Amino acid sequence: MDNIYIFMIAALAILAIADLVVGVSNDAVNFLNSAIGSKAVTFRTVMIVASVGIAFGALSSSGMMEVARKGIFDPSQFYFNEIMIIFMAVMITDIILLDIFNSLGMPTSTTVSIVFELLGAAVVMSIIKISNNSDSLLQLGEYINTDKATEIILGILLSVFIAFSVGAIIQLITRVLLTFDFQKKASWVAAVFGGIAVSAISYFIIIKGLKGADILPPAFSSWANENLIQFLGANFIVWTILSWVSHAILKQNIYRLVIILGTFALAMAFAGNDLVNFIGVPMAAYNSFGAWSGSGILPEAFSMEQLAEKVPTQPILLLIAGLIMVLTLWFSKKARRVVKTSVDLSRQDEVKERFKPNWVSQNLVRLVIIANTGVNKILPAPIRNRINKSFTPVLMTSTKAIDAPAFDMVRAAVNLVVASVLISIATGLKLPLSTTYVTFMVAMGTSLADRAWGAESAVYRVAGVLNVIGGWFLTAFSAFTAAGIFAYLMYLGGNLAIIGLFILAIAMLVRNYIATKKSNKEAQIEEDLRKAESHTISGIIEESADNIAKTILRTNKIYTGTLKGLAKNKVSSLKKSRGTVEKLNDEIDELRNNIFYFIKNLEETSVRGSNFYIEILGYLEDITQSLEYIAKSSYKHVNNNHKPLRFTQIKDLQEIDNKLSEFLQETATAFNDRNYMRIEALLGKKDELYGQVTDKIQKQVERTRSEESSPKNTTLYFGLLLETKDLIEEILNLLDLYNSEHKRS
């Protein structure tokens, strides 16, 4: 019997490591988005600063492990075997849940997930105990700290509203005072901003970040808490003077320094306070096992009241956990995907929008527009003009859109300072708080105030924010439900259920890792189409060559994949081809949406270039429409369980595919190698390609008259042949246009 608990401790250790990895991947967005989005420093510098912050924070976590032990439930009401089931259910649920969110690129709260998992598993175990004892459900309050759970839920709701509102108000005031042209302001302005910002962050580091560590003298920390006004006043004077010296004499960008310090502070607070979310439960389980193992009492009779006592955390374990967090930060691609979601929703300029608008976002934007119109009517014209002038963006110095920051350093600094202050205040008041909620909602509030959500993007950005917020509440519900179900299954199934669920969790992690690695490889091979950034016809020709090569290669892949799916009568393959076409179609739509900016940036003499570019996009769109018909009609045919294509039809289509695939591969190679002399030779294959398709059409006409018996089969086959002919024609027209334009340039 003891062996199963040894297995559970080993399993929890493995799950703790896995949870650290998936947890950091999720929470990296908290402290990386401002520095990465503003590009205040290099990515490498951001990672180094964050890594040092995590290392400091991990060592200051010793006082933060009590939530897992006694914060949600009363441990004295449970026996050792019951506590171990609760802890196993929590950890299995946590890594599965966080990994799913990370794979989707959606930030969620590790604090909320662990709290509701503990609550869900403890509630189910409590109900089991109440049922076995024939007691009333009204006694559930004896097992669960309901007041604490209610406080946490209210804290979540309040933190979302307060963080968004305060972030928006502070950013609005800051932008009006500093404008987008903040670099040209007097040195004293930057000095005052630096004094306020660094003072707030310093207080955050001392009160929030280092409160559980022995780095600072206890007397100093106590004095800072008791004499807050004096502490902040002294900090403001000192940091304002240092900021002025740095900005005016040493010529250092004070905004950049604030961002670096703010990133360090949030990274430290994350590790110092959120580390409990990842290793708190396994450490509580280890303490429980240590208390029981030498007692000689049966596990189902050993009361866990000892968990209510405070147990110091071992620094070595914290250091190891911090090291795992740092390594994850450097090597996790999922972390960067989650950060990208947050940065894109905050971006000042146009970006490929990830989220589709819904009726809630549409109506919210409509209401804000109406409210804004009303406010503009009330405000006097001079004040309105002064505010509008402050919000006039400064043109980026970079000519490449990919090199441009998502937002400027003022907004990044405000994000970090406001998040730091709010978390500090909540900590001082002992209010439950999620760092994810605060940092994300502050970033969204500053984005709104900074007019990053314009008429062209607001409905998409608001939909994105609503999706993320919905994901947070889904986290709470999913965590509570899944942990409860797993706890019940472990109680019923015993050792087999415990081992089986552990294997399931590891298998899901491995599967998601392999799937993510595969999708990353495919993404590297199959790059997105690139927006035109050139100002001349020669530059447009060069950039268009890349887009044509990528489209042709993907056309070849989609066409071949669709025919293979038809040959095997396989719905999953055809569904994948249909999804790939939709992605390509979305990318071409994005290029068409960028035409306005493209034409505005063209040289005055490059009207010819704009016509060429627009025609190229027209042909690319025609190609995707043909592919869309081929993929969708094939999927629909097989999904509706109609008769499969006959062997002779499959054979004819494969012959077309072989010839067309060879032609498309040569075309893509010519554009990739910039071997434009090959285009005329490719155009010379027109009659051969047309002739092959025409021949297959004639053969099918004869088969239909003599032997074909399926109308659906015949309709699909003729549709594929005719659309293939259109596809060939569109590609040849594209080649002809490109060949003519290249000769003229």
Side-chain angles (χ1 to χ4, degrees):
M1 188 64 179
D2 292 1
N3 291 337
I4 187 59
Y5 295 112
I6 294 173
F7 167 81
M8 290 171 77
I9 292 298
L12 284 167
I14 295 169
L15 292 173
I17 295 171
D19 208 32
L20 278 168
V21 173
V22 295
V24 173
S25 297
N26 176 81
D27 281 3
V29 67
N30 296 345
F31 48 88
L32 293 181
N33 61 351
S34 293
I36 291 176
S38 65
K39 295 196 174 181
V41 291
T42 63
F43 181 76
R44 181 181 176 84
T45 302
V46 174
M47 297 295 279
I48 291 171
V49 170
S51 299
V52 174
I54 286 175
F56 269 90
L59 291 174
S60 66
S61 293
S62 58
M64 299 299 295
M65 296 294 172
E66 303 306 307
V67 173
R69 295 160 51 83
K70 59 182 180 180
I72 304 301
F73 56 85
D74 182 358
S76 65
Q77 297 290 334
F78 297 93
Y79 296 114
F80 174 66
N81 64 323
E82 297 164 344
I83 281 286
M84 292 300 290
I85 287 176
I86 290 174
F87 289 155
M88 278 294 291
V90 166
M91 291 303 294
I92 288 173
T93 304
D94 203 53
I95 61 170
I96 291 175
L97 199 62
L98 292 181
D99 192 58
I100 290 172
F101 273 88
N102 292 344
S103 299
L104 296 174
M106 296 285 286
T108 191
S109 170
T110 53
T111 303
V112 169
S113 64
I114 201 74
V115 165
F116 277 88
E117 285 153 5
L118 283 166
L119 187 60
V123 164
V124 168
M125 189 55 65
S126 301
I127 292 173
I128 291 171
K129 286 176 67 69
I130 289 170
S131 176
N132 290 341
N133 296 334
S134 300
D135 293 332
S136 169
L137 282 176
L138 296 175
Q139 294 178 278
L140 187 62
E142 298 176 8
Y143 297 85
I144 306 298
N145 296 332
T146 51
D147 291 343
K148 187 70 174 178
T150 304
E151 187 182 358
I152 290 171
I153 294 170
L154 291 176
I156 292 168
L157 295 171
L158 285 173
S159 67
V160 170
F161 174 75
I162 293 173
F164 185 85
S165 303
V166 174
I169 292 168
I170 298 298
Q171 179 62 31
L172 178 64
I173 296 170
T174 304
R175 185 63 72 194
V176 169
L177 295 175
L178 294 180
T179 77
F180 275 95
D181 206 9
F182 60 93
Q183 300 283 23
K184 294 183 180 179
K185 292 287 182 179
S187 295
W188 70 267
V189 176
V192 171
F193 180 87
I196 295 171
V198 179
S199 297
I201 293 172
S202 299
Y203 175 70
F204 172 70
I205 290 174
I206 293 170
I207 301 303
K208 178 70 174 171
L210 298 178
K211 69 172 185 175
D214 297 327
I215 298 174
L216 296 174
F220 176 78
S221 297
S222 177
W223 177 85
N225 276 300
E226 293 172 3
N227 301 276
L228 182 59
I229 302 300
Q230 295 93 319
F231 173 76
L232 292 177
N235 263 274
F236 173 71
I237 294 170
V238 171
W239 290 117
T240 299
I241 294 170
L242 291 176
S243 297
W244 184 85
V245 171
S246 176
H247 192 82
I249 299 175
L250 301 179
K251 304 300 179 184
Q252 295 296 313
N253 189 323
I254 192 62
Y255 303 98
R256 182 177 289 113
L257 295 176
V258 169
I259 291 168
I260 292 172
L261 186 59
T263 300
F264 168 83
L266 278 182
M268 184 174 66
F270 154 71
N273 294 275
D274 286 7
L275 188 60
V276 64
N277 300 338
F278 314 129
I279 68 170
V281 168
M283 292 186 75
Y286 179 73
N287 292 335
S288 303
F289 180 78
W292 166 78
S293 59
S295 67
I297 303 173
L298 292 174
E300 56 269 21
F302 185 79
S303 174
M304 292 312 305
E305 57 190 15
Q306 294 183 40
L307 278 186
E309 301 173 6
K310 188 170 182 177
V311 178
T313 308
Q314 298 179 18
I316 297 297
L317 293 178
L318 294 177
L319 189 61
I320 293 171
L323 179 62
I324 294 171
M325 294 168 86
V326 170
L327 291 173
T328 301
L329 187 67
W330 279 90
F331 296 108
S332 173
K333 288 185 172 62
K334 287 184 179 180
R336 300 181 190 185
R337 188 181 302 124
V338 175
V339 172
K340 186 178 185 301
T341 298
S342 180
V343 169
D344 284 350
L345 287 173
S346 306
R347 189 174 288 276
Q348 192 75 32
D349 55 5
E350 296 296 319
V351 69
K352 183 178 179 181
E353 304 293 350
R354 256 191 71 183
F355 300 94
K356 294 182 180 180
N358 51 56
W359 70 271
V360 178
S361 67
Q362 290 163 345
N363 284 288
L364 278 176
V365 171
R366 194 171 291 116
L367 287 172
V368 171
I369 291 172
I370 293 171
N372 185 58
T373 303
V375 171
N376 283 334
K377 287 180 179 178
I378 296 170
L379 281 177
I383 296 177
R384 189 168 63 248
N385 293 335
R386 169 73 178 84
I387 293 173
N388 289 335
K389 187 177 179 182
S390 297
F391 283 88
T392 303
V394 176
L395 293 175
M396 300 292 183
T397 54
S398 173
T399 57
K400 292 282 187 182
I402 195 172
D403 295 327
F407 41 82
D408 66 8
M409 286 187 276
V410 167
R411 174 134 64 97
V414 170
N415 284 345
L416 293 164
V417 171
V418 173
S420 299
V421 170
L422 289 178
I423 295 171
S424 298
I425 293 172
T427 301
L429 297 174
K430 297 182 179 180
L431 294 174
L433 196 74
S434 165
T435 54
T436 300
Y437 289 178
V438 171
T439 52
F440 181 82
M441 291 310 297
V442 166
M444 295 305 102
T446 58
S447 302
L448 175 65
D450 226 15
R451 300 186 181 179
W453 299 355
E456 305 295 332
S457 62
V459 71
Y460 304 100
R461 304 284 175 88
V462 173
V465 173
L466 292 174
N467 270 275
V468 173
I469 293 174
W472 293 343
F473 289 98
L474 179 63
T475 300
F477 176 77
S478 303
F480 181 91
T481 305
I485 291 172
F486 286 162
Y488 185 64
L489 291 175
M490 290 179 189
Y491 176 79
L492 286 182
N495 298 349
L496 288 177
I498 291 170
I499 295 170
L501 287 172
F502 171 72
I503 293 172
L504 172 67
I506 298 300
M508 286 188 68
L509 284 178
V510 173
R511 180 179 175 275
N512 284 348
Y513 172 77
I514 294 171
T516 302
K517 195 172 182 181
K518 183 180 178 182
S519 65
N520 287 336
K521 283 184 178 180
E522 289 177 352
Q524 290 172 358
I525 296 170
E526 197 175 273
E527 297 178 82
D528 289 351
L529 303 184
R530 188 171 55 143
K531 292 180 181 178
E533 297 172 348
S534 297
H535 306 289
T536 62
I537 183 65
S538 58
I540 295 166
I541 289 174
E542 182 71 15
E543 287 181 354
S544 297
D546 287 331
N547 283 343
I548 291 170
K550 291 172 187 174
T551 303
I552 294 299
L553 282 173
R554 290 162 74 173
T555 297
N556 191 13
K557 180 180 177 181
I558 292 165
Y559 189 85
T560 301
T562 301
L563 295 190
K564 284 183 178 178
L566 271 176
K568 296 178 180 178
N569 213 41
K570 198 172 181 181
V571 174
S572 58
S573 297
L574 294 170
K575 187 177 181 180
K576 184 178 179 181
S577 294
R578 189 184 64 172
T580 310
V581 174
E582 289 173 355
K583 183 177 184 297
L584 179 60
N585 200 26
D586 287 343
E587 290 174 29
I588 292 172
D589 280 346
E590 189 69 22
L591 296 182
R592 292 182 72 86
N593 292 336
N594 191 55
I595 285 177
F596 171 82
Y597 303 99
F598 164 70
I599 294 175
K600 292 278 282 186
N601 291 331
L602 275 177
E603 294 176 355
E604 291 183 7
T605 55
S606 292
V607 176
R608 172 183 146 213
S610 63
N611 290 335
F612 169 70
Y613 183 69
I614 291 168
E615 286 190 70
I616 288 285
L617 290 184
Y619 285 128
L620 292 179
E621 189 172 38
D622 290 341
I623 290 170
T624 57
Q625 285 175 352
S626 292
L627 287 172
E628 189 173 30
Y629 175 85
I630 291 169
K632 284 189 173 181
S633 60
S634 300
Y635 171 78
K636 182 180 177 182
H637 183 90
V638 175
N639 196 41
N640 286 336
N641 298 307
H642 296 315
K643 283 186 178 181
L645 293 180
R646 299 164 68 93
F647 175 77
T648 51
Q649 292 171 323
I650 294 294
K651 185 172 178 294
D652 287 349
L653 286 173
Q654 286 176 341
E655 288 176 7
I656 293 174
D657 181 43
N658 291 337
K659 185 65 69 176
L660 182 59
S661 181
E662 182 183 340
F663 171 75
L664 294 175
Q665 193 64 51
E666 289 179 15
T667 302
T669 301
F671 280 97
N672 276 327
D673 296 343
R674 304 299 191 264
N675 185 6
Y676 303 123
M677 301 300 292
R678 284 284 304 153
I679 293 179
E680 286 197 26
L682 290 166
L683 287 168
K685 296 187 177 184
K686 176 180 179 179
D687 292 339
E688 181 183 356
L689 292 167
Y690 277 173
Q692 188 182 34
V693 177
T694 303
D695 179 58
K696 304 304 181 189
I697 291 173
Q698 184 58 40
K699 285 175 66 176
Q700 179 59 25
V701 170
E702 293 172 2
R703 281 197 295 260
T704 302
R705 292 174 63 86
S706 60
E707 59 188 70
E708 192 62 68
S709 61
S710 172
K712 296 289 186 185
N713 183 303
T714 303
T715 301
L716 172 66
Y717 188 69
F718 275 127
L720 293 175
L721 291 176
L722 292 172
E723 209 61 50
T724 299
K725 194 171 184 180
D726 287 346
L727 177 65
I728 293 168
E729 183 179 3
E730 289 144 8
I731 294 170
L732 290 169
N733 287 339
L734 178 63
L735 292 175
D736 188 44
L737 171 67
Y738 203 91
N739 188 46
S740 301
E741 199 60 55
H742 180 257
K743 286 181 177 179
R744 290 177 62 190
S745 61

